[in-house]
Short mmCIF file of all heavy atoms in Angstrom, two decimals:
data_model
loop_
_atom_site.label_atom_id
_atom_site.label_comp_id
_atom_site.label_asym_id
_atom_site.label_seq_id
_atom_site.Cartn_x
_atom_site.Cartn_y
_atom_site.Cartn_z
N PHE W 296 0.15 2.78 9.42
CA PHE W 296 0.71 4.13 9.14
C PHE W 296 -0.20 5.23 9.74
O PHE W 296 -0.04 6.38 9.43
CB PHE W 296 0.81 4.36 7.64
CG PHE W 296 1.83 3.49 6.92
CD1 PHE W 296 2.02 3.58 5.61
CD2 PHE W 296 2.67 2.59 7.63
CE1 PHE W 296 2.94 2.80 4.91
CE2 PHE W 296 3.56 1.79 6.97
CZ PHE W 296 3.72 1.89 5.62
N THR W 297 -1.16 4.80 10.57
CA THR W 297 -2.12 5.75 11.15
C THR W 297 -1.79 6.01 12.62
O THR W 297 -1.47 5.07 13.34
CB THR W 297 -3.55 5.15 11.04
OG1 THR W 297 -3.86 4.89 9.69
CG2 THR W 297 -4.58 6.05 11.66
N GLN W 298 -1.88 7.25 13.05
CA GLN W 298 -1.52 7.54 14.43
C GLN W 298 -2.57 7.00 15.39
O GLN W 298 -3.80 7.15 15.19
CB GLN W 298 -1.34 9.06 14.64
CG GLN W 298 -2.48 9.93 14.25
CD GLN W 298 -2.07 11.40 14.24
OE1 GLN W 298 -0.96 11.76 13.86
NE2 GLN W 298 -2.98 12.26 14.67
N LEU W 299 -2.11 6.37 16.43
CA LEU W 299 -2.97 5.71 17.49
C LEU W 299 -2.41 6.04 18.85
O LEU W 299 -1.22 6.42 18.99
CB LEU W 299 -2.93 4.18 17.32
CG LEU W 299 -3.29 3.59 15.90
CD1 LEU W 299 -2.91 2.16 15.81
CD2 LEU W 299 -4.79 3.78 15.66
N THR W 300 -3.23 5.91 19.86
CA THR W 300 -2.80 6.12 21.21
C THR W 300 -1.91 4.94 21.65
O THR W 300 -2.33 3.79 21.56
CB THR W 300 -4.00 6.23 22.20
OG1 THR W 300 -4.91 7.23 21.68
CG2 THR W 300 -3.53 6.63 23.55
N PRO W 301 -0.66 5.21 22.09
CA PRO W 301 0.28 4.10 22.33
C PRO W 301 0.29 3.49 23.68
O PRO W 301 0.82 2.39 23.91
CB PRO W 301 1.66 4.74 22.03
CG PRO W 301 1.48 6.17 22.49
CD PRO W 301 0.04 6.51 22.16
N GLY W 302 -0.30 4.19 24.68
CA GLY W 302 -0.21 3.68 26.04
C GLY W 302 1.22 3.55 26.54
O GLY W 302 2.10 4.39 26.16
N SER W 303 1.55 2.51 27.25
CA SER W 303 2.84 2.43 27.93
C SER W 303 4.03 2.21 26.99
O SER W 303 5.19 2.33 27.40
CB SER W 303 2.82 1.23 28.93
OG SER W 303 1.90 1.54 29.99
N VAL W 304 3.80 1.93 25.71
CA VAL W 304 4.92 1.88 24.75
C VAL W 304 5.65 3.21 24.74
O VAL W 304 6.86 3.27 24.61
CB VAL W 304 4.36 1.53 23.32
CG1 VAL W 304 5.44 1.72 22.27
CG2 VAL W 304 3.80 0.12 23.28
N PHE W 305 4.91 4.28 25.00
CA PHE W 305 5.50 5.63 25.02
C PHE W 305 6.42 5.87 26.22
O PHE W 305 7.24 6.79 26.20
CB PHE W 305 4.35 6.68 24.98
CG PHE W 305 4.87 8.08 24.72
CD1 PHE W 305 5.31 8.45 23.46
CD2 PHE W 305 4.91 9.02 25.73
CE1 PHE W 305 5.80 9.72 23.19
CE2 PHE W 305 5.37 10.31 25.51
CZ PHE W 305 5.80 10.64 24.28
N LYS W 306 6.36 4.99 27.20
CA LYS W 306 7.27 5.11 28.34
C LYS W 306 8.72 4.96 27.93
O LYS W 306 9.64 5.46 28.63
CB LYS W 306 6.92 4.08 29.42
CG LYS W 306 5.62 4.37 30.12
CD LYS W 306 5.19 3.21 31.06
CE LYS W 306 3.83 3.52 31.69
NZ LYS W 306 3.36 2.41 32.53
N THR W 307 8.95 4.37 26.77
CA THR W 307 10.31 4.28 26.27
C THR W 307 10.89 5.65 25.97
O THR W 307 12.07 5.94 26.22
CB THR W 307 10.31 3.43 24.96
OG1 THR W 307 9.60 2.20 25.18
CG2 THR W 307 11.70 3.12 24.47
N VAL W 308 10.07 6.57 25.46
CA VAL W 308 10.47 7.91 25.17
C VAL W 308 10.78 8.66 26.48
O VAL W 308 11.81 9.32 26.60
CB VAL W 308 9.41 8.67 24.37
CG1 VAL W 308 9.78 10.15 24.18
CG2 VAL W 308 9.20 8.01 23.02
N ILE W 309 9.89 8.50 27.45
CA ILE W 309 10.10 9.16 28.76
C ILE W 309 11.39 8.63 29.42
O ILE W 309 12.15 9.39 30.01
CB ILE W 309 8.90 8.91 29.68
CG1 ILE W 309 7.58 9.41 29.04
CG2 ILE W 309 9.10 9.52 31.04
CD1 ILE W 309 7.60 10.87 28.76
N ALA W 310 11.63 7.30 29.31
CA ALA W 310 12.83 6.74 29.89
C ALA W 310 14.09 7.34 29.23
O ALA W 310 15.04 7.68 29.93
CB ALA W 310 12.81 5.23 29.71
N ALA W 311 14.11 7.46 27.92
CA ALA W 311 15.23 8.02 27.22
C ALA W 311 15.52 9.45 27.68
O ALA W 311 16.70 9.81 27.96
CB ALA W 311 15.00 8.02 25.72
N ALA W 312 14.48 10.26 27.81
CA ALA W 312 14.62 11.67 28.20
C ALA W 312 15.12 11.75 29.66
O ALA W 312 15.99 12.57 29.97
CB ALA W 312 13.31 12.36 28.05
N ALA W 313 14.59 10.88 30.52
CA ALA W 313 15.02 10.88 31.94
C ALA W 313 16.51 10.49 32.10
O ALA W 313 17.24 11.07 32.89
CB ALA W 313 14.10 10.00 32.74
N ILE W 314 16.87 9.45 31.33
CA ILE W 314 18.28 8.99 31.39
C ILE W 314 19.27 10.06 30.92
O ILE W 314 20.26 10.41 31.59
CB ILE W 314 18.47 7.71 30.55
CG1 ILE W 314 17.70 6.55 31.19
CG2 ILE W 314 19.96 7.38 30.39
CD1 ILE W 314 17.56 5.33 30.29
N GLU W 315 19.00 10.71 29.77
CA GLU W 315 19.89 11.66 29.22
C GLU W 315 19.96 12.97 29.99
O GLU W 315 20.94 13.69 29.98
CB GLU W 315 19.56 11.95 27.73
CG GLU W 315 20.12 10.90 26.80
CD GLU W 315 20.27 11.35 25.36
OE1 GLU W 315 19.81 12.43 25.00
OE2 GLU W 315 20.84 10.57 24.60
N ASN W 316 18.91 13.31 30.72
CA ASN W 316 18.86 14.54 31.47
C ASN W 316 19.08 14.31 32.96
O ASN W 316 18.86 15.23 33.77
CB ASN W 316 17.54 15.24 31.22
CG ASN W 316 17.38 15.80 29.82
OD1 ASN W 316 17.90 16.91 29.57
ND2 ASN W 316 16.80 15.07 28.94
N LEU W 317 19.58 13.12 33.28
CA LEU W 317 19.99 12.79 34.66
C LEU W 317 18.89 13.05 35.67
O LEU W 317 19.15 13.56 36.80
CB LEU W 317 21.25 13.56 34.99
CG LEU W 317 22.44 13.41 34.03
CD1 LEU W 317 23.58 14.30 34.47
CD2 LEU W 317 22.86 11.96 33.95
N LEU W 318 17.65 12.74 35.33
CA LEU W 318 16.53 13.00 36.22
C LEU W 318 16.13 11.78 37.03
O LEU W 318 15.14 11.81 37.77
CB LEU W 318 15.35 13.47 35.38
CG LEU W 318 15.49 14.83 34.70
CD1 LEU W 318 14.26 15.21 33.95
CD2 LEU W 318 15.79 15.92 35.76
N VAL W 319 16.89 10.73 36.94
CA VAL W 319 16.60 9.51 37.69
C VAL W 319 17.90 8.80 37.96
O VAL W 319 18.88 8.88 37.17
CB VAL W 319 15.60 8.62 36.88
CG1 VAL W 319 16.29 8.04 35.67
CG2 VAL W 319 15.05 7.51 37.75
N ASN W 320 17.92 8.07 39.08
CA ASN W 320 19.15 7.23 39.39
C ASN W 320 18.66 5.84 39.83
O ASN W 320 17.48 5.60 40.11
CB ASN W 320 20.01 7.93 40.42
CG ASN W 320 19.27 8.21 41.75
OD1 ASN W 320 18.79 7.30 42.40
ND2 ASN W 320 19.19 9.49 42.06
N ASP W 321 19.68 4.97 40.00
CA ASP W 321 19.32 3.59 40.30
C ASP W 321 18.82 3.43 41.74
O ASP W 321 18.14 2.40 42.07
CB ASP W 321 20.55 2.69 40.13
CG ASP W 321 20.96 2.61 38.66
OD1 ASP W 321 20.09 2.88 37.79
OD2 ASP W 321 22.15 2.30 38.36
N GLN W 322 19.14 4.36 42.63
CA GLN W 322 18.74 4.20 44.03
C GLN W 322 17.31 4.70 44.30
O GLN W 322 16.65 4.23 45.23
CB GLN W 322 19.70 5.00 44.93
CG GLN W 322 21.09 4.35 45.09
CD GLN W 322 21.90 4.45 43.84
OE1 GLN W 322 21.98 5.55 43.22
NE2 GLN W 322 22.56 3.36 43.46
N GLU W 323 16.86 5.67 43.53
CA GLU W 323 15.54 6.23 43.80
C GLU W 323 14.43 5.18 43.55
O GLU W 323 14.52 4.37 42.64
CB GLU W 323 15.28 7.41 42.87
CG GLU W 323 13.97 8.10 43.09
CD GLU W 323 13.71 9.26 42.18
OE1 GLU W 323 14.46 9.47 41.25
OE2 GLU W 323 12.70 9.98 42.41
N THR W 324 13.40 5.23 44.41
CA THR W 324 12.26 4.39 44.20
C THR W 324 11.00 5.19 44.05
O THR W 324 10.91 6.32 44.44
CB THR W 324 12.09 3.39 45.37
OG1 THR W 324 11.90 4.14 46.58
CG2 THR W 324 13.32 2.49 45.55
N PHE W 325 10.00 4.52 43.47
CA PHE W 325 8.69 5.15 43.22
C PHE W 325 7.64 4.27 43.90
O PHE W 325 7.68 3.04 43.94
CB PHE W 325 8.40 5.23 41.76
CG PHE W 325 9.44 6.05 41.03
CD1 PHE W 325 10.56 5.47 40.52
CD2 PHE W 325 9.26 7.43 40.81
CE1 PHE W 325 11.54 6.21 39.82
CE2 PHE W 325 10.20 8.20 40.10
CZ PHE W 325 11.33 7.56 39.62
N ASP W 326 6.59 4.92 44.46
CA ASP W 326 5.47 4.18 45.08
C ASP W 326 4.54 3.72 44.03
O ASP W 326 3.66 4.44 43.55
CB ASP W 326 4.78 5.10 46.09
CG ASP W 326 3.75 4.32 46.90
OD1 ASP W 326 3.50 3.15 46.60
OD2 ASP W 326 3.12 4.91 47.84
N CYS W 327 4.71 2.43 43.63
CA CYS W 327 3.92 1.89 42.56
C CYS W 327 2.64 1.17 43.02
O CYS W 327 2.03 0.42 42.21
CB CYS W 327 4.80 0.96 41.72
SG CYS W 327 6.09 1.86 40.81
N ASP W 328 2.27 1.42 44.29
CA ASP W 328 0.92 1.04 44.76
C ASP W 328 -0.12 2.03 44.29
O ASP W 328 -1.29 1.77 44.33
CB ASP W 328 0.90 0.90 46.28
CG ASP W 328 1.59 -0.38 46.77
OD1 ASP W 328 1.72 -1.30 45.96
OD2 ASP W 328 1.98 -0.43 47.94
N LYS W 329 0.38 3.25 43.90
CA LYS W 329 -0.49 4.33 43.57
C LYS W 329 -0.58 4.57 42.10
O LYS W 329 0.30 4.15 41.32
CB LYS W 329 -0.03 5.63 44.31
CG LYS W 329 -0.05 5.52 45.81
CD LYS W 329 0.50 6.78 46.46
CE LYS W 329 0.46 6.71 47.95
NZ LYS W 329 1.01 7.88 48.60
N ASN W 330 -1.60 5.29 41.66
CA ASN W 330 -1.73 5.64 40.27
C ASN W 330 -1.05 6.99 40.03
O ASN W 330 -0.37 7.55 40.92
CB ASN W 330 -3.20 5.70 39.79
CG ASN W 330 -4.04 6.74 40.59
OD1 ASN W 330 -3.45 7.68 41.18
ND2 ASN W 330 -5.32 6.57 40.55
N ILE W 331 -1.21 7.55 38.83
CA ILE W 331 -0.48 8.77 38.50
C ILE W 331 -0.96 10.02 39.34
O ILE W 331 -0.26 11.00 39.42
CB ILE W 331 -0.56 9.15 37.00
CG1 ILE W 331 -2.04 9.31 36.59
CG2 ILE W 331 0.13 8.09 36.16
CD1 ILE W 331 -2.22 9.79 35.12
N TYR W 332 -2.10 9.86 39.99
CA TYR W 332 -2.63 10.95 40.79
C TYR W 332 -2.37 10.76 42.25
O TYR W 332 -2.89 11.53 43.11
CB TYR W 332 -4.11 11.13 40.54
CG TYR W 332 -4.47 11.29 39.08
CD1 TYR W 332 -5.16 10.32 38.41
CD2 TYR W 332 -4.11 12.43 38.39
CE1 TYR W 332 -5.49 10.47 37.06
CE2 TYR W 332 -4.36 12.61 37.04
CZ TYR W 332 -5.07 11.62 36.39
OH TYR W 332 -5.40 11.76 35.06
#
Side-chain angles (χ1 to χ4, degrees):
F296 293 178
T297 301
Q298 56 190 38
L299 305 166
T300 309
S303 293
V304 171
F305 191 72
K306 290 174 183 174
T307 310
V308 175
I309 303 299
I314 292 167
E315 279 202 351
N316 289 276
L317 306 177
L318 294 180
V319 68
N320 58 60
D321 294 338
Q322 286 72 46
E323 181 182 10
T324 60
F325 301 88
D326 187 353
C327 292
D328 283 340
K329 299 178 180 178
N330 62 19
I331 59 174
Y332 304 113

